Amino acid sequence: MLEVKDLHVYYGAIHALKGISFKVEDGEIVTIIGANGAGKSTTLRTISGLLRPKTGEIILNGVHLEKMKAKDIVKMGVCQVPEGRRIFANMSVQENLELGAYLRNDRDGIKKDFDRVFSLFPRLAERKSQIAGTLSGGEQQMLAIGRALMSRPRIILMDEPSMGLAPILVEQIFNVIKEINSEGTTVLLVEQNAYMALVTAKKAYVLETGNIVMGGTASELLNNEEVRRAYLG
């Protein structure tokens, strides 16, 4: 479904991604794990069109994305849940969700997706008129995921969805990721909580200082001695 080939990305003189390549098949959950500064967020931002690669290819179902504008990539069915949630703090929960559907005009479909988001996150239904900036961290993460779902993505890119959350909420968010995937949405997950990422995903890659140094099934990496020592304590 998604193929990244020999991707090189720079921030000025800093070589952030050094020729990474990986694939995401339709219907999979694929995770990229790695330390802070490894290039995980840069990878997602480049796929989303927020950063331009110097060289390399990003191909979604045969269509090249690397020179497209971010809004056109959303139209192609790619949506990102950004690190730090990035909700619209001065707007209501309802308005944040409506903005997720800003490229759509299928009123019935949008109503169905509101119902879907509220069934995944009943707490958002209870707070739909509340100003989003007053929500708890966990509720804001739910809103960020719900907002992405409102674009009806074919593939959803998740950047550190468990960051700053209490353990019970981390478990809840990962259960929702599995549920979203079971309903047919492909997931590319970037996550520092390597254990939760590896028990949730089907396939995994390890990113270190802009290079993919390991890849395989998530269970292979979960049982790999080197990965356990470096990322699982």
Side-chain angles (χ1 to χ4, degrees):
M1 182 181 195
L2 177 71
E3 186 174 8
V4 170
K5 293 165 77 172
D6 196 26
L7 202 64
H8 289 263
V9 178
Y10 287 77
Y11 291 104
I14 298 165
H15 197 174
L17 296 179
K18 302 167 184 172
I20 67 168
S21 299
F22 63 89
K23 290 181 182 179
V24 180
E25 303 293 346
D26 194 9
E28 284 185 328
I29 300 177
V30 174
T31 189
I32 300 173
I33 63 170
N36 257 343
K40 304 187 305 296
S41 294
T42 300
T43 301
L44 296 193
R45 287 170 62 80
T46 307
I47 294 167
S48 294
L50 300 171
L51 293 171
R52 281 269 178 265
K54 186 156 189 182
T55 58
E57 298 173 284
I58 304 162
I59 305 162
L60 179 74
N61 292 324
V63 178
H64 282 259
L65 305 185
E66 62 270 7
K67 290 180 182 171
M68 276 192 190
K69 291 179 179 174
K71 68 174 184 178
D72 295 324
I73 292 173
V74 174
K75 284 180 190 170
M76 292 285 298
V78 180
C79 197
Q80 184 167 342
V81 180
E83 182 182 357
R85 297 144 204 161
R86 298 288 185 91
I87 52 138
F88 299 99
N90 297 324
M91 301 174 81
S92 70
V93 167
Q94 175 95 10
E95 287 166 335
N96 269 267
L97 293 175
E98 285 169 357
L99 276 172
Y102 81 104
L103 288 175
R104 297 173 58 185
N105 52 23
D106 56 320
R107 200 169 293 178
D108 290 344
I110 290 170
K111 186 183 179 305
K112 277 183 191 166
D113 286 338
F114 265 115
D115 294 342
R116 178 192 182 203
V117 168
F118 289 146
S119 71
L120 280 170
F121 300 116
R123 217 176 302 180
L124 294 183
E126 294 162 13
R127 291 160 169 71
K128 63 183 175 185
S129 302
Q130 191 170 323
I131 296 301
T134 65
L135 299 174
S136 70
E139 289 162 352
Q140 288 186 16
Q141 187 62 62
M142 294 172 195
L143 180 55
I145 294 171
R147 181 182 59 189
L149 290 174
M150 290 301 297
S151 74
R152 198 171 277 187
R154 296 156 78 186
I155 179 167
I156 191 165
L157 315 179
M158 294 198 174
D159 195 351
E160 305 285 6
S162 76
M163 185 183 278
L165 300 186
I168 193 163
L169 281 173
V170 171
E171 200 168 316
Q172 188 181 343
I173 292 294
F174 275 92
N175 284 338
V176 166
I177 291 169
K178 286 188 270 195
E179 191 169 340
I180 290 166
N181 177 249
S182 73
E183 291 172 0
T185 305
T186 304
V187 179
L188 177 59
L189 170 69
V190 151
E191 181 56 64
Q192 265 192 293
N193 185 331
Y195 176 76
M196 287 302 291
L198 292 172
V199 297
T200 303
K202 180 179 179 183
K203 208 161 66 187
Y205 297 92
V206 178
L207 192 61
E208 287 181 5
T209 58
N211 294 288
I212 286 178
V213 296
M214 204 179 296
T217 68
S219 58
E220 282 169 354
L221 266 65
L222 190 60
N223 294 306
N224 180 287
E225 202 51 52
E226 209 177 313
V227 172
R228 292 181 76 85
R229 198 165 49 245
Y231 300 105
L232 303 173

